[in-house]
Amino acid sequence: KQYGLDHESLRALNPRLIYCSVTGFGQDGPYAERAGYDLMVQAMTGLMSITGHADNAPGGGPMRVGVAVIDLFTGLYASNAILAALNVRHHTGQGQHIDMALLDVGMAVLANQAAGFLATGQAPGRMGNSHPSLAPYQDFPTQDGNMLLAIGNDGQFQRFCAAANQPQWASDPRYATNTLRVQNRTALIPAMEAVTRTRTTADWIALLEDKAVPCGPINTIAQAFDDAQVKARGLRVELPRSAGDGIRTIAGVASPLRLSANPPVLRNAPPALGQHTDEVLAELGLNTQAIAALRDKQVL
């Protein structure tokens, strides 16, 4: 029970009701009454402690993720929970309350980092763009900037070595397996950096794209929207707008849900402030004269 919600009373009124509350810390526990925001939960759950460069590196220190990932993940988890509750209701006829907390989600999305801590008791630290259990899996300098190599298994590493004309790395016993590459990354990464600097980012991508070696640019958001694949997938959409201010369309991002039979449809741009005030008041029963009177009194 929080903010006047009485779950038992609601259940008595409508046993089929499914409803979801989203709070910072959930409906019980010592922090239940606290307010919660994404950034604070990023800090509390340890997410900031594993994001950014190490303390002894330039620019080191805890960092937040660049978007409100806890808020976004909480919404996704909540929608999944609602769908699960609907499926249960199909079988039982009973609804239920769903108690979503930013804190719970923040702990859940620690994923492999949480698993590593629970298995060893050692809190992971910040590693910049490196991966705690994969190597080479990070950014690398190129002739004209940087690129991202995400080599996740031994086969990919061997194919990279062949493409880069460095077959000796693949046969080096220090780098034979991912575990060994992680253990010997302080030798491997500088050697790779010396080679990656000899080609441009575009050259590396072209060289590796047909060899199943994940390699890509490190784009700005502007560059991402200009990317050929982003354009091909139609991820920028122009939404119609009729707010009377001369702006006819607003750009937005397409839904990533690609249902073959029931694709989502984005019909209109977000409205301007007050654009639908008259329509909303009309639906509440106010006629044109009553709405005009409210405007005359500067209520609207």
Side-chain angles (χ1 to χ4, degrees):
K1 183 177 180 181
Q2 194 175 56
Y3 307 125
L5 295 177
D6 186 333
H7 309 317
E8 293 305 320
S9 297
L10 289 171
R11 181 179 177 85
L13 288 170
N14 183 1
R16 291 179 56 82
L17 178 66
I18 294 169
Y19 66 106
C20 177
S21 62
V22 179
T23 60
F25 297 98
Q27 300 295 312
D28 54 21
Y31 301 165
E33 298 299 321
R34 291 187 185 181
Y37 275 93
D38 177 278
L39 178 59
M40 187 177 72
V41 174
Q42 286 196 38
M44 290 184 66
T45 57
L47 182 58
M48 287 178 62
S49 78
I50 56 171
T51 306
H53 293 290
D55 287 333
N56 59 358
M63 293 289 290
R64 71 176 180 90
V65 180
V67 295
V69 289
I70 305 300
D71 285 349
L72 295 171
F73 270 116
T74 300
L76 291 170
Y77 273 107
S79 65
N80 277 308
I82 291 167
L83 292 173
L86 285 167
N87 193 50
V88 171
R89 192 174 71 182
H90 291 326
H91 295 280
T92 68
Q94 298 294 308
Q96 57 187 293
H97 168 236
I98 299 164
D99 174 15
M100 295 298 305
L102 299 181
L103 179 73
D104 299 356
V105 173
M107 297 299 293
V109 300
L110 291 174
N112 60 299
Q113 297 279 27
F117 166 72
L118 294 172
T120 66
Q122 299 295 313
R126 292 180 302 282
M127 300 181 61
N129 292 323
S130 299
H131 195 285
S133 53
L134 293 172
Y137 197 95
Q138 62 183 79
D139 59 311
F140 283 90
T142 64
Q143 197 174 79
D144 61 348
N146 294 276
M147 68 174 178
L148 200 292
L149 271 178
I151 294 177
N153 59 52
D154 298 338
Q156 290 173 351
F157 181 68
Q158 292 162 8
R159 292 193 296 276
F160 171 80
C161 295
N165 294 319
Q166 303 295 326
Q168 72 277 9
W169 292 341
S171 59
D172 191 318
R174 296 175 297 171
Y175 312 140
T177 67
N178 177 69
T179 299
L180 290 169
R181 289 193 296 276
V182 169
Q183 293 172 355
N184 295 288
R185 72 167 85 223
T186 54
L188 174 62
I189 300 305
M192 289 183 62
E193 289 176 340
V195 172
T196 60
R197 286 190 177 95
T198 63
R199 288 185 169 95
T200 67
T201 297
D203 288 342
W204 279 112
I205 293 170
L207 178 67
L208 298 172
E209 65 183 351
D210 64 345
K211 298 174 178 62
V213 176
C215 175
I218 302 175
N219 286 332
T220 64
I221 292 177
Q223 290 169 327
F225 274 107
D226 197 43
D227 183 87
Q229 184 68 10
V230 170
K231 290 181 176 179
R233 296 287 287 178
L235 293 175
R236 174 178 173 143
V237 293
E238 297 293 334
L239 301 171
R241 188 169 183 269
S242 56
D245 57 3
I247 301 174
R248 305 187 65 178
T249 62
I250 289 181
V253 182
S255 171
L257 305 179
R258 302 298 174 105
L259 283 72
S260 61
N262 305 99
V265 177
L266 301 177
R267 293 182 176 86
N268 296 294
L273 180 64
Q275 180 179 339
H276 298 129
T277 297
D278 289 6
E279 290 91 331
V280 171
L281 293 176
E283 289 178 3
L284 293 174
L286 279 72
N287 59 29
T288 303
Q289 292 76 20
I291 296 172
L294 290 173
R295 282 206 165 83
D296 289 341
K297 295 176 182 177
Q298 295 185 339
V299 173
L300 300 179

